[in-house]
Amino acid sequence: MTVGLYGTPQHRRVESTTAPLRAVAPPPLQKTVDATLKPGEVVVDSFGVPAQATSVERKVYDAGGKLLSDATWYSSYRSEPKIVRVGPKKKKKTVTTTPTTTVASPAGPH
């Protein structure tokens, strides 16, 4: 790529200040049950990426040092989900109960 700039020199000084990229929200969790895994087993397929943001401030000065422009641009980046597979829940043991029958005995002689 070749870039050419044409025009008369403006004798301007440009200062750019970049803020560090910072995490603003954790990655969302995307969890699915995988029947091939043991109960309670967890496999992380992707750790994800948090939502992030940064900014750039740009100041332009003329040859004499007078401030001509002061602008700030903000950029934000979407998160990527953390992808996790989990084993199925343990099956609860079922207890089988047998119904009981109560038989009333006849009352004895009076």
Side-chain angles (χ1 to χ4, degrees), residues 16-105:
S16 294
T17 306
T18 305
L21 191 60
R22 66 188 193 291
V24 295
L29 179 61
Q30 182 179 347
K31 185 168 43 169
T32 57
V33 176
D34 184 343
T36 65
L37 299 176
K38 296 176 186 172
E41 188 177 0
V42 176
V43 175
V44 178
D45 290 325
S46 172
F47 287 95
V49 179
Q52 299 178 41
T54 189
S55 63
V56 176
E57 180 182 30
R58 181 174 176 255
K59 294 182 179 184
V60 180
Y61 299 90
D62 69 10
K66 179 182 175 189
L67 181 64
L68 299 174
S69 172
D70 184 0
T72 303
W73 289 272
Y74 298 92
S75 296
S76 59
Y77 305 92
R78 291 185 201 160
S79 62
E80 292 290 327
K82 179 177 182 178
I83 300 171
V84 176
R85 290 181 290 133
V86 296
K89 291 184 179 181
K90 291 182 182 180
K91 292 182 180 178
K92 293 182 180 180
K93 291 184 180 180
T94 56
V95 178
T96 305
T97 58
T98 305
T100 57
T101 306
T102 306
V103 177
S105 55

Side-chain angles (χ1 to χ4, degrees), residues 5-26:
L5 299 175
Y6 300 95
T8 57
Q10 298 296 311
H11 304 290
R12 293 182 178 167
R13 180 173 49 98
V14 178
E15 292 179 0
S16 294
T17 306
T18 305
L21 191 60
R22 66 188 193 291
V24 295

